[in-house]
Amino acid sequence: MTKHITPMRFAMLLWLAVAALSIALSFGAIMTQSTVDPDDALRLVQVRDLLHGQGWWDISQHRINPAAGGGLMHWSRIVDAPLALGIAAFSPLLGQAMAESLAMALWPLLLLAPLFWVVTRTGAALGDRRIAMLSPLLLASNQLILFQFAPLRIDHHGWQIALSGVLLLLATLPASRRTGMLAGLAAATYLAISLEALPGVTMIAAIMAVEWWWSGGVAARARLIAYLVTLCVAALMLQWVTRGPVGLSATWCDALSLPYLAALGAAALVVVFGAPLVDRAAPGRLARAVCLGAGGLLSAASLLLIAPSCAGGPFGTLDPIVTQYWYVHVREGLPLWSIIDAMTGYMLAPTMVGLIGTTLAMRSATGEMRRRWLIVLAALAAMALLSLLVMRVTAIAHLYAIPGTAFAAFYVWRWARGIANAGLRILATMGILVVLPPTAGALAALAITALPGATPALVADDAAGHGCVDPPSLSALNAIEPTLLFAPLDVGPHILQRTRHSVMATAHHRNNAVMARVITAFVGDASAARQAIESSGAALVVVCTSAAEFDNFRAASGDSLADQLATDRAPDWLESVPMPAGAGLTVWRIRRQ
C-alpha cells in the first residue's frame, strides 16, 4: 500500500487538504469579498477596470487622484491576467460578484499547488525520499508561507514565493543548457512581476557563476550563459507585452525598466562572449574570475549611468513626511530588529532551524548530493541575511529552509532512536516537534517576548482599514452620489473596492506627492488643512478613527486635524454626515468658503 503513496501523490493530497480547509475557514470572507490587505483590495479594482475596458498597458488607477489623471502604479498585468480570465469565464454563469469571489478564492490556492510540487521535487533532487515526503508536510505547517496563498490573497506575494521555489529547484539540478533556460524564464517572469525579485535573481546568477568559476565545466558555463541570455530576452518580451513600448524606454526605480534591462544585457554580453574565450585562451579560476567581475562591474555601471537615482532604491525619494507616517509603519519592508515581538520569533526560528539542518546535511553528503546541498545552503544563507534587512523576504527564507528542516527532523529521530533508556528515548524523540515551524516559532516567540524591551503583544503591519469598511458604512457611502473623498491612505483601497467613490491617495509610493499632501492635512492644524482639502476638489472627508494609521496621525504634535476629528471637535468648515449605528467610518461634508 505504502509504495503507491509516492511523495508527489502525498504532496497533492496535502495540497487538496490545505485548499479545502482554507476555503472552509475563509468561506464567510470569500462570500463578502472581505479582503484584509489594501493591496488585495486594489488588485481587484485593477482587474475590474481591465475587464470594463481599461487598456492592457494602462495600469494607472483612475479613481485615485482623478484630477491629476489617476494614481500611478508599478504593478504587473501578469498577476492580473489569471484573475481577469477567471472572472470573465465565470461571470456569464454566476454573475460578476460571485465570479469575483470564486476567482479570488481559487486562484491563490491553484498557485499553491505548483509550490507543493516544487518543494517535493526539490526534496527528491537532494537524494532522500524521506525528505521528499516530509517537505510538503513542512510547507503545510508553515503559516507564514500559507498566508500568502490564502483565499482572497490575490496580490503578487504568492507569485514571488512560487517562482523563488522554482529557481532553487532548477539551481540544484545538474547543470545544463535546459535548466539554465528554464531558470532564466522563471527569473524574467519574477522580475516582470516585481523588482523585489532582483536580489533572488542575482543570487541564482551568482550561484551559477561560482559553479562555473570553481569547476570550469562546459555544462556549468552553458547553464550560466543560457540563464543570462534567456533572462534578457524573456525580460524584454514580457516588458513589451505587459507594459508596451514605454516599458522599454522609461526609467523607473521600482519596476523593471530601461536601466535594469541594460544592466542585465551588459552582464549577459560579457559572459556570452567572454566565457568561451576565457575557457579557450586562458583556462583557470583567475581568468574566469576576471570575466565574471567584468560582467558584474559593467552591469552595475550601466544601471548607475542610466539611472543614478536608482542607487537609493525605490523608496529613496519619498517625502520625509511620507516616510515618517507611512513607510516606517509598513512592517514587511523594515529590518527584522525594528520591531521585537512574538512575530519576530515566528519569523526567525524556522530559518535558523533550516540553516542548521542544511549545514548538517551538506557536511554528511558526498559527491553530487553535497554540491546540491551546498547550493541550498548558499541560497538559504543569502535569503536569511536579506530577511533580516527586509522582513518580506522571510517567507522565501522559510521556503528555502524546508529541506534542511526535514533533514534536521530525521537527524533528531536517528539520535533519539540510539538512546538505550526507553523513557529518555521517548522524550528525545519528541524533540522532533521542536524543529517543526509552528513549534520552533512558538518557542522562539516565548523566549523573545520575555526579553527586556520586547513588545509582549503582536505588532501587525499598519494596513488597517478593511475592518472600517463595514456594512453600515458601505450602505451609507453607496447612498451618496459618487464623489471624491479625502481619506487616509490605508482605507482608500477598500473604499475603491466596495463603493463607487474616488479617493485622493492610497499607500502606493509612486503617488508620493499626493500621499504627502493627504498626510500633511491630517497631521497639521485644522486651519492649514482646510486650504489643502478644499483645493483638492474633494467633497467629503472620510476617516476611520479606530485604524492604526489614524493613531499615527494623532500622535503628531499640536492640535492636529486628525486629533480634532477623533475627539468630536471637527472644525466648523466640516459638516457631519449622519452614519448608521455601528458604522466604522466617520464622514464630514466640506463647507466651502
Side-chain angles (χ1 to χ4, degrees):
M1 179 67 180
T2 55
K3 68 179 181 180
H4 297 296
I5 305 178
T6 64
M8 201 57 71
R9 288 174 182 171
F10 179 61
M12 291 301 100
L13 287 172
L14 268 178
W15 166 71
L16 286 172
V18 168
L21 183 61
S22 297
I23 290 174
L25 293 175
S26 307
F27 188 76
I30 292 168
M31 298 308 294
T32 57
Q33 297 184 10
S34 298
T35 51
V36 173
D37 192 279
D39 284 352
D40 297 318
L42 195 57
R43 178 72 67 180
L44 177 59
V45 175
Q46 291 282 91
V47 172
R48 284 175 179 168
D49 291 347
L50 176 64
L51 289 171
H52 293 157
Q54 184 165 322
W56 173 261
W57 288 338
D58 178 10
I59 56 173
S60 294
Q61 178 42 242
H62 294 287
R63 285 199 289 149
I64 298 174
N65 195 16
L72 301 174
M73 303 299 294
H74 63 287
W75 291 353
S76 171
R77 290 296 193 195
I78 293 174
V79 180
D80 296 342
L83 293 165
L85 288 172
I87 294 169
F90 292 131
S91 288
L93 300 172
L94 305 174
Q96 176 83 11
M98 186 59 71
E100 288 177 354
S101 295
L102 189 59
M104 293 170 71
L106 293 182
W107 174 247
L109 296 171
L110 290 174
L111 190 60
L112 181 61
L115 187 61
F116 269 91
W117 183 91
V118 163
V119 298
T120 307
R121 183 69 180 84
T122 303
L126 293 169
D128 193 326
R129 186 178 187 275
R130 297 172 306 166
I131 290 176
M133 288 290 286
L134 185 55
S135 290
L137 190 61
L138 292 173
L139 173 60
S141 71
N142 191 304
Q143 285 302 309
L144 201 67
I145 297 176
L146 292 186
F147 172 73
Q148 303 298 354
F149 295 88
L152 307 180
R153 196 78 173 109
I154 58 173
D155 199 27
H156 63 274
H157 301 289
W159 283 88
Q160 292 176 314
I161 296 169
L163 288 167
S164 294
V166 170
L167 286 173
L168 179 64
L169 169 60
L170 291 168
T172 59
L173 295 178
S176 69
R177 184 175 286 105
R178 178 176 174 273
T179 56
M181 291 176 66
L182 290 173
L185 182 59
T189 306
Y190 194 175
L191 272 177
I193 288 172
S194 171
L195 198 65
E196 293 167 4
L198 192 58
V201 168
T202 304
M203 176 199 68
I204 295 298
I207 287 173
M208 293 180 179
V210 168
E211 188 163 0
W212 172 63
W213 165 75
W214 181 259
S215 69
V218 174
R221 185 188 73 198
R223 181 179 64 173
L224 176 61
I225 291 173
Y227 177 76
L228 293 174
V229 171
T230 306
L231 172 57
C232 289
V233 173
L236 283 168
M237 292 176 63
L238 288 171
Q239 188 72 351
W240 186 86
V241 167
T242 59
R243 300 188 188 275
V246 68
L248 302 177
S249 58
T251 293
W252 304 307
C253 293
D254 60 355
L256 189 62
S257 57
L258 178 61
Y260 299 105
L261 292 169
L264 293 175
L269 191 67
V270 172
V271 174
V272 166
F273 290 100
L277 180 63
V278 163
D279 280 349
R280 284 196 307 268
R285 288 175 185 162
L286 178 60
R288 292 194 289 271
V290 170
C291 175
L292 293 170
L297 288 174
L298 186 59
S299 178
S302 300
L303 173 63
L304 294 177
L305 285 173
I306 295 173
S309 60
C310 291
F315 302 105
T317 58
L318 282 181
D319 188 293
I321 200 168
V322 176
T323 299
Q324 179 181 355
Y325 288 97
W326 170 65
Y327 185 64
V328 298
H329 298 284
V330 181
R331 180 167 186 164
E332 68 171 30
L334 300 177
L336 186 68
W337 59 81
S338 59
I339 301 173
I340 304 299
D341 66 353
M343 181 57 74
T344 309
Y346 284 102
M347 289 181 173
L348 197 57
T351 303
M352 296 300 102
V353 171
L355 281 168
I356 294 169
T358 306
T359 302
L360 291 171
M362 186 271 294
R363 293 183 64 181
S364 65
T366 57
E368 172 63 14
M369 289 304 113
R370 185 166 202 162
R371 181 195 73 85
R372 296 186 187 189
W373 277 109
L374 182 59
I375 287 172
V376 174
L377 180 60
L380 173 56
M383 290 299 105
L385 178 60
L386 190 58
S387 70
L388 296 178
L389 303 175
V390 184
M391 276 188 266
R392 70 168 65 92
V393 182
T394 302
I396 296 173
H398 284 196
L399 179 68
Y400 286 3
I402 285 176
T405 303
F407 184 90
F410 289 117
Y411 187 91
V412 172
W413 171 266
R414 288 194 301 269
W415 167 74
R417 292 294 82 193
I419 298 176
N421 183 280
L424 292 176
R425 184 168 63 250
I426 293 171
L427 187 63
T429 302
M430 292 177 64
I432 292 174
L433 297 175
V434 176
V435 307
L436 302 181
T439 318
L443 292 173
L446 286 173
I448 286 175
T449 53
L451 294 174
T455 305
L458 181 67
V459 179
D461 275 357
D462 185 16
H466 62 282
C468 301
V469 189
D470 49 85
S473 297
L474 290 172
S475 177
L477 276 182
N478 279 319
I480 300 173
E481 191 70 21
T483 188
L484 178 63
L485 311 182
F486 201 96
L489 307 178
D490 284 333
V491 76
H494 299 288
I495 290 174
L496 295 179
Q497 177 198 350
R498 312 291 233 151
T499 77
R500 302 166 295 164
H501 297 292
S502 301
V503 297
M504 271 299 294
T506 58
H508 296 91
H509 64 269
R510 280 200 183 180
N511 304 291
N512 174 51
V514 71
M515 289 171 70
R517 184 176 174 183
V518 168
I519 293 171
T520 301
F522 282 113
V523 302
D525 64 77
S527 58
R530 180 175 191 176
Q531 182 179 1
I533 292 175
E534 286 188 346
S535 64
S536 72
L540 301 172
V541 173
V542 179
V543 304
C544 178
T545 56
S546 63
E549 178 187 29
F550 210 70
D551 289 339
N552 295 331
F553 291 169
R554 292 186 63 192
S557 59
D559 191 21
S560 68
L561 176 62
D563 197 56
Q564 290 188 23
L565 297 180
T567 54
D568 295 323
R569 296 183 295 114
D572 57 9
W573 50 273
L574 291 177
E575 174 189 355
S576 178
V577 175
M579 295 292 282
L585 294 177
T586 312
V587 182
W588 292 268
R589 184 170 284 105
I590 300 166
R591 292 174 172 152
R592 301 194 179 278
Q593 293 177 325

PDB file of all heavy atoms in Angstrom, residues 20 28 42 59 62 67 124 168 174 193 230-231 266 297 306 313 346 365 382 415 432 490 511 539 542 573 579 583:
ATOM      1  N   ALA A  20      -8.964  22.785   0.859  1.00  0.00           N
ATOM      2  CA  ALA A  20     -10.317  22.604   1.398  1.00  0.00           C
ATOM      3  C   ALA A  20     -10.472  23.293   2.747  1.00  0.00           C
ATOM      4  O   ALA A  20     -11.480  23.963   3.012  1.00  0.00           O
ATOM      5  CB  ALA A  20     -10.622  21.114   1.516  1.00  0.00           C
ATOM      6  N   GLY A  28     -16.911  32.730   4.843  1.00  0.00           N
ATOM      7  CA  GLY A  28     -17.655  33.969   5.048  1.00  0.00           C
ATOM      8  C   GLY A  28     -16.976  35.152   4.388  1.00  0.00           C
ATOM      9  O   GLY A  28     -17.626  35.981   3.741  1.00  0.00           O
ATOM     10  N   LEU A  42      -7.034  46.648  -3.862  1.00  0.00           N
ATOM     11  CA  LEU A  42      -6.753  47.456  -5.043  1.00  0.00           C
ATOM     12  C   LEU A  42      -6.472  46.583  -6.258  1.00  0.00           C
ATOM     13  O   LEU A  42      -6.778  46.960  -7.394  1.00  0.00           O
ATOM     14  CB  LEU A  42      -5.570  48.391  -4.770  1.00  0.00           C
ATOM     15  CG  LEU A  42      -5.400  49.533  -5.784  1.00  0.00           C
ATOM     16  CD1 LEU A  42      -6.656  50.386  -5.867  1.00  0.00           C
ATOM     17  CD2 LEU A  42      -4.207  50.402  -5.432  1.00  0.00           C
ATOM     18  N   ILE A  59      -1.890  50.895 -16.570  1.00  0.00           N
ATOM     19  CA  ILE A  59      -2.028  50.311 -15.234  1.00  0.00           C
ATOM     20  C   ILE A  59      -2.265  51.374 -14.171  1.00  0.00           C
ATOM     21  O   ILE A  59      -2.198  51.090 -12.968  1.00  0.00           O
ATOM     22  CB  ILE A  59      -0.797  49.455 -14.862  1.00  0.00           C
ATOM     23  CG1 ILE A  59       0.497  50.275 -14.955  1.00  0.00           C
ATOM     24  CG2 ILE A  59      -0.717  48.215 -15.733  1.00  0.00           C
ATOM     25  CD1 ILE A  59       1.714  49.525 -14.438  1.00  0.00           C
ATOM     26  N   HIS A  62      -7.463  55.088 -12.038  1.00  0.00           N
ATOM     27  CA  HIS A  62      -8.042  56.385 -12.367  1.00  0.00           C
ATOM     28  C   HIS A  62      -9.004  56.919 -11.318  1.00  0.00           C
ATOM     29  O   HIS A  62      -9.475  58.044 -11.446  1.00  0.00           O
ATOM     30  CB  HIS A  62      -8.717  56.300 -13.734  1.00  0.00           C
ATOM     31  CG  HIS A  62      -7.740  56.073 -14.847  1.00  0.00           C
ATOM     32  ND1 HIS A  62      -6.889  57.058 -15.293  1.00  0.00           N
ATOM     33  CD2 HIS A  62      -7.439  54.960 -15.568  1.00  0.00           C
ATOM     34  CE1 HIS A  62      -6.127  56.582 -16.265  1.00  0.00           C
ATOM     35  NE2 HIS A  62      -6.423  55.301 -16.444  1.00  0.00           N
ATOM     36  N   ALA A  67      -8.168  64.079 -10.573  1.00  0.00           N
ATOM     37  CA  ALA A  67      -7.892  65.380 -11.192  1.00  0.00           C
ATOM     38  C   ALA A  67      -6.520  65.422 -11.843  1.00  0.00           C
ATOM     39  O   ALA A  67      -6.299  66.171 -12.799  1.00  0.00           O
ATOM     40  CB  ALA A  67      -7.996  66.485 -10.136  1.00  0.00           C
ATOM     41  N   ALA A 124      13.297  15.485  -3.455  1.00  0.00           N
ATOM     42  CA  ALA A 124      13.732  14.309  -4.213  1.00  0.00           C
ATOM     43  C   ALA A 124      15.079  14.553  -4.868  1.00  0.00           C
ATOM     44  O   ALA A 124      15.932  13.656  -4.945  1.00  0.00           O
ATOM     45  CB  ALA A 124      12.683  13.950  -5.261  1.00  0.00           C
ATOM     46  N   LEU A 168      15.196  27.833  -7.037  1.00  0.00           N
ATOM     47  CA  LEU A 168      16.058  26.984  -6.204  1.00  0.00           C
ATOM     48  C   LEU A 168      16.103  25.567  -6.746  1.00  0.00           C
ATOM     49  O   LEU A 168      17.177  24.949  -6.814  1.00  0.00           O
ATOM     50  CB  LEU A 168      15.559  26.982  -4.759  1.00  0.00           C
ATOM     51  CG  LEU A 168      16.379  26.104  -3.806  1.00  0.00           C
ATOM     52  CD1 LEU A 168      17.808  26.626  -3.683  1.00  0.00           C
ATOM     53  CD2 LEU A 168      15.718  26.026  -2.430  1.00  0.00           C
ATOM     54  N   PRO A 174      21.319  19.077 -12.012  1.00  0.00           N
ATOM     55  CA  PRO A 174      22.595  19.091 -12.746  1.00  0.00           C
ATOM     56  C   PRO A 174      22.644  20.207 -13.781  1.00  0.00           C
ATOM     57  O   PRO A 174      21.637  20.509 -14.444  1.00  0.00           O
ATOM     58  CB  PRO A 174      22.621  17.707 -13.415  1.00  0.00           C
ATOM     59  CG  PRO A 174      21.776  16.851 -12.542  1.00  0.00           C
ATOM     60  CD  PRO A 174      20.681  17.740 -12.019  1.00  0.00           C
ATOM     61  N   ILE A 193       7.123  40.750 -12.705  1.00  0.00           N
ATOM     62  CA  ILE A 193       6.069  40.903 -11.702  1.00  0.00           C
ATOM     63  C   ILE A 193       6.461  41.935 -10.663  1.00  0.00           C
ATOM     64  O   ILE A 193       5.665  42.787 -10.271  1.00  0.00           O
ATOM     65  CB  ILE A 193       5.763  39.553 -11.035  1.00  0.00           C
ATOM     66  CG1 ILE A 193       5.024  38.640 -12.029  1.00  0.00           C
ATOM     67  CG2 ILE A 193       4.935  39.732  -9.767  1.00  0.00           C
ATOM     68  CD1 ILE A 193       4.850  37.225 -11.545  1.00  0.00           C
ATOM     69  N   THR A 230      18.505  33.911 -21.711  1.00  0.00           N
ATOM     70  CA  THR A 230      17.058  33.726 -21.606  1.00  0.00           C
ATOM     71  C   THR A 230      16.436  34.791 -20.724  1.00  0.00           C
ATOM     72  O   THR A 230      15.355  35.314 -21.031  1.00  0.00           O
ATOM     73  CB  THR A 230      16.731  32.327 -21.044  1.00  0.00           C
ATOM     74  OG1 THR A 230      17.374  31.333 -21.831  1.00  0.00           O
ATOM     75  CG2 THR A 230      15.233  32.083 -21.046  1.00  0.00           C
ATOM     76  N   LEU A 231      17.116  35.127 -19.637  1.00  0.00           N
ATOM     77  CA  LEU A 231      16.630  36.179 -18.749  1.00  0.00           C
ATOM     78  C   LEU A 231      16.475  37.492 -19.502  1.00  0.00           C
ATOM     79  O   LEU A 231      15.437  38.163 -19.402  1.00  0.00           O
ATOM     80  CB  LEU A 231      17.587  36.335 -17.568  1.00  0.00           C
ATOM     81  CG  LEU A 231      17.365  37.506 -16.609  1.00  0.00           C
ATOM     82  CD1 LEU A 231      15.965  37.480 -16.025  1.00  0.00           C
ATOM     83  CD2 LEU A 231      18.404  37.476 -15.490  1.00  0.00           C
ATOM     84  N   ALA A 266      24.154  43.979 -20.208  1.00  0.00           N
ATOM     85  CA  ALA A 266      25.609  44.142 -20.088  1.00  0.00           C
ATOM     86  C   ALA A 266      26.252  42.895 -19.494  1.00  0.00           C
ATOM     87  O   ALA A 266      27.289  42.417 -19.992  1.00  0.00           O
ATOM     88  CB  ALA A 266      25.909  45.370 -19.223  1.00  0.00           C
ATOM     89  N   LEU A 297      30.760  44.375 -12.994  1.00  0.00           N
ATOM     90  CA  LEU A 297      31.061  45.808 -12.978  1.00  0.00           C
ATOM     91  C   LEU A 297      30.359  46.545 -14.112  1.00  0.00           C
ATOM     92  O   LEU A 297      29.815  47.637 -13.920  1.00  0.00           O
ATOM     93  CB  LEU A 297      32.576  46.014 -13.079  1.00  0.00           C
ATOM     94  CG  LEU A 297      33.382  45.660 -11.829  1.00  0.00           C
ATOM     95  CD1 LEU A 297      34.876  45.755 -12.106  1.00  0.00           C
ATOM     96  CD2 LEU A 297      32.999  46.590 -10.672  1.00  0.00           C
ATOM     97  N   ILE A 306      22.746  55.128 -16.400  1.00  0.00           N
ATOM     98  CA  ILE A 306      21.434  55.460 -16.957  1.00  0.00           C
ATOM     99  C   ILE A 306      20.523  56.067 -15.894  1.00  0.00           C
ATOM    100  O   ILE A 306      19.782  57.026 -16.161  1.00  0.00           O
ATOM    101  CB  ILE A 306      20.774  54.202 -17.569  1.00  0.00           C
ATOM    102  CG1 ILE A 306      21.593  53.708 -18.763  1.00  0.00           C
ATOM    103  CG2 ILE A 306      19.330  54.489 -17.995  1.00  0.00           C
ATOM    104  CD1 ILE A 306      21.116  52.387 -19.329  1.00  0.00           C
ATOM    105  N   GLY A 313      17.372  53.090  -4.253  1.00  0.00           N
ATOM    106  CA  GLY A 313      16.252  52.167  -4.138  1.00  0.00           C
ATOM    107  C   GLY A 313      14.934  52.829  -4.487  1.00  0.00           C
ATOM    108  O   GLY A 313      14.863  54.047  -4.693  1.00  0.00           O
ATOM    109  N   TYR A 346       8.500  33.860  15.327  1.00  0.00           N
ATOM    110  CA  TYR A 346       7.944  33.035  14.256  1.00  0.00           C
ATOM    111  C   TYR A 346       8.679  33.253  12.939  1.00  0.00           C
ATOM    112  O   TYR A 346       8.767  32.346  12.108  1.00  0.00           O
ATOM    113  CB  TYR A 346       6.455  33.342  14.083  1.00  0.00           C
ATOM    114  CG  TYR A 346       5.595  32.737  15.153  1.00  0.00           C
ATOM    115  CD1 TYR A 346       5.107  33.509  16.202  1.00  0.00           C
ATOM    116  CD2 TYR A 346       5.271  31.383  15.135  1.00  0.00           C
ATOM    117  CE1 TYR A 346       4.319  32.957  17.201  1.00  0.00           C
ATOM    118  CE2 TYR A 346       4.485  30.815  16.130  1.00  0.00           C
ATOM    119  CZ  TYR A 346       4.010  31.606  17.160  1.00  0.00           C
ATOM    120  OH  TYR A 346       3.240  31.048  18.151  1.00  0.00           O
ATOM    121  N   ALA A 365      26.813  14.728   3.318  1.00  0.00           N
ATOM    122  CA  ALA A 365      26.644  14.256   1.943  1.00  0.00           C
ATOM    123  C   ALA A 365      27.997  14.164   1.248  1.00  0.00           C
ATOM    124  O   ALA A 365      29.006  14.718   1.703  1.00  0.00           O
ATOM    125  CB  ALA A 365      25.715  15.189   1.178  1.00  0.00           C
ATOM    126  N   ALA A 382      21.763  33.385   1.924  1.00  0.00           N
ATOM    127  CA  ALA A 382      21.531  34.689   1.298  1.00  0.00           C
ATOM    128  C   ALA A 382      20.155  35.236   1.657  1.00  0.00           C
ATOM    129  O   ALA A 382      20.003  36.413   2.016  1.00  0.00           O
ATOM    130  CB  ALA A 382      21.681  34.566  -0.213  1.00  0.00           C
ATOM    131  N   TRP A 415      19.128  10.169  16.230  1.00  0.00           N
ATOM    132  CA  TRP A 415      19.811  10.345  17.519  1.00  0.00           C
ATOM    133  C   TRP A 415      18.969   9.791  18.665  1.00  0.00           C
ATOM    134  O   TRP A 415      19.477   9.081  19.543  1.00  0.00           O
ATOM    135  CB  TRP A 415      20.103  11.828  17.728  1.00  0.00           C
ATOM    136  CG  TRP A 415      20.517  12.168  19.127  1.00  0.00           C
ATOM    137  CD1 TRP A 415      21.717  11.906  19.723  1.00  0.00           C
ATOM    138  CD2 TRP A 415      19.709  12.808  20.126  1.00  0.00           C
ATOM    139  NE1 TRP A 415      21.727  12.358  21.023  1.00  0.00           N
ATOM    140  CE2 TRP A 415      20.499  12.921  21.298  1.00  0.00           C
ATOM    141  CE3 TRP A 415      18.406  13.317  20.137  1.00  0.00           C
ATOM    142  CZ2 TRP A 415      20.024  13.517  22.454  1.00  0.00           C
ATOM    143  CZ3 TRP A 415      17.933  13.907  21.288  1.00  0.00           C
ATOM    144  CH2 TRP A 415      18.723  13.999  22.431  1.00  0.00           C
ATOM    145  N   ILE A 432      11.656  16.055  17.988  1.00  0.00           N
ATOM    146  CA  ILE A 432      11.378  16.336  16.575  1.00  0.00           C
ATOM    147  C   ILE A 432      10.416  17.508  16.455  1.00  0.00           C
ATOM    148  O   ILE A 432      10.524  18.334  15.537  1.00  0.00           O
ATOM    149  CB  ILE A 432      10.797  15.080  15.886  1.00  0.00           C
ATOM    150  CG1 ILE A 432      11.862  13.994  15.795  1.00  0.00           C
ATOM    151  CG2 ILE A 432      10.256  15.401  14.495  1.00  0.00           C
ATOM    152  CD1 ILE A 432      11.338  12.684  15.260  1.00  0.00           C
ATOM    153  N   ASP A 490      -4.596  54.041   4.022  1.00  0.00           N
ATOM    154  CA  ASP A 490      -4.837  52.600   4.063  1.00  0.00           C
ATOM    155  C   ASP A 490      -6.284  52.212   3.829  1.00  0.00           C
ATOM    156  O   ASP A 490      -6.567  51.114   3.345  1.00  0.00           O
ATOM    157  CB  ASP A 490      -4.355  52.023   5.402  1.00  0.00           C
ATOM    158  CG  ASP A 490      -2.840  51.884   5.461  1.00  0.00           C
ATOM    159  OD1 ASP A 490      -2.231  51.722   4.394  1.00  0.00           O
ATOM    160  OD2 ASP A 490      -2.276  51.961   6.566  1.00  0.00           O
ATOM    161  N   ASN A 511       2.802  57.668  -5.934  1.00  0.00           N
ATOM    162  CA  ASN A 511       1.987  58.860  -5.723  1.00  0.00           C
ATOM    163  C   ASN A 511       2.475  59.625  -4.497  1.00  0.00           C
ATOM    164  O   ASN A 511       1.687  60.121  -3.696  1.00  0.00           O
ATOM    165  CB  ASN A 511       0.521  58.447  -5.568  1.00  0.00           C
ATOM    166  CG  ASN A 511       0.043  57.635  -6.753  1.00  0.00           C
ATOM    167  OD1 ASN A 511      -0.089  58.156  -7.856  1.00  0.00           O
ATOM    168  ND2 ASN A 511      -0.179  56.348  -6.540  1.00  0.00           N
ATOM    169  N   ALA A 539     -15.212  66.365  -1.930  1.00  0.00           N
ATOM    170  CA  ALA A 539     -16.479  66.824  -1.383  1.00  0.00           C
ATOM    171  C   ALA A 539     -16.684  66.349   0.052  1.00  0.00           C
ATOM    172  O   ALA A 539     -17.416  66.973   0.810  1.00  0.00           O
ATOM    173  CB  ALA A 539     -17.635  66.338  -2.255  1.00  0.00           C
ATOM    174  N   VAL A 542     -13.471  61.498   4.911  1.00  0.00           N
ATOM    175  CA  VAL A 542     -13.885  60.201   5.450  1.00  0.00           C
ATOM    176  C   VAL A 542     -12.710  59.596   6.211  1.00  0.00           C
ATOM    177  O   VAL A 542     -11.619  59.465   5.652  1.00  0.00           O
ATOM    178  CB  VAL A 542     -14.330  59.245   4.324  1.00  0.00           C
ATOM    179  CG1 VAL A 542     -14.722  57.890   4.905  1.00  0.00           C
ATOM    180  CG2 VAL A 542     -15.481  59.837   3.532  1.00  0.00           C
ATOM    181  N   TRP A 573     -15.754  74.233   9.394  1.00  0.00           N
ATOM    182  CA  TRP A 573     -15.877  74.124   7.934  1.00  0.00           C
ATOM    183  C   TRP A 573     -16.164  72.681   7.492  1.00  0.00           C
ATOM    184  O   TRP A 573     -16.253  72.395   6.302  1.00  0.00           O
ATOM    185  CB  TRP A 573     -14.630  74.659   7.229  1.00  0.00           C
ATOM    186  CG  TRP A 573     -13.314  74.129   7.740  1.00  0.00           C
ATOM    187  CD1 TRP A 573     -12.578  74.625   8.762  1.00  0.00           C
ATOM    188  CD2 TRP A 573     -12.599  72.995   7.248  1.00  0.00           C
ATOM    189  NE1 TRP A 573     -11.434  73.884   8.940  1.00  0.00           N
ATOM    190  CE2 TRP A 573     -11.419  72.868   8.013  1.00  0.00           C
ATOM    191  CE3 TRP A 573     -12.830  72.072   6.229  1.00  0.00           C
ATOM    192  CZ2 TRP A 573     -10.487  71.862   7.804  1.00  0.00           C
ATOM    193  CZ3 TRP A 573     -11.905  71.073   6.015  1.00  0.00           C
ATOM    194  CH2 TRP A 573     -10.742  70.975   6.799  1.00  0.00           C
ATOM    195  N   MET A 579     -24.279  58.865  10.006  1.00  0.00           N
ATOM    196  CA  MET A 579     -23.963  57.495   9.625  1.00  0.00           C
ATOM    197  C   MET A 579     -24.767  56.535  10.490  1.00  0.00           C
ATOM    198  O   MET A 579     -25.115  56.859  11.629  1.00  0.00           O
ATOM    199  CB  MET A 579     -22.460  57.227   9.797  1.00  0.00           C
ATOM    200  CG  MET A 579     -21.565  58.050   8.869  1.00  0.00           C
ATOM    201  SD  MET A 579     -21.730  57.577   7.130  1.00  0.00           S
ATOM    202  CE  MET A 579     -20.749  56.075   7.117  1.00  0.00           C
ATOM    203  N   ALA A 583     -21.455  52.002  12.309  1.00  0.00           N
ATOM    204  CA  ALA A 583     -20.584  52.327  11.169  1.00  0.00           C
ATOM    205  C   ALA A 583     -19.172  52.607  11.667  1.00  0.00           C
ATOM    206  O   ALA A 583     -18.967  53.334  12.641  1.00  0.00           O
ATOM    207  CB  ALA A 583     -21.124  53.530  10.403  1.00  0.00           C
TER     208      ALA A 583
END
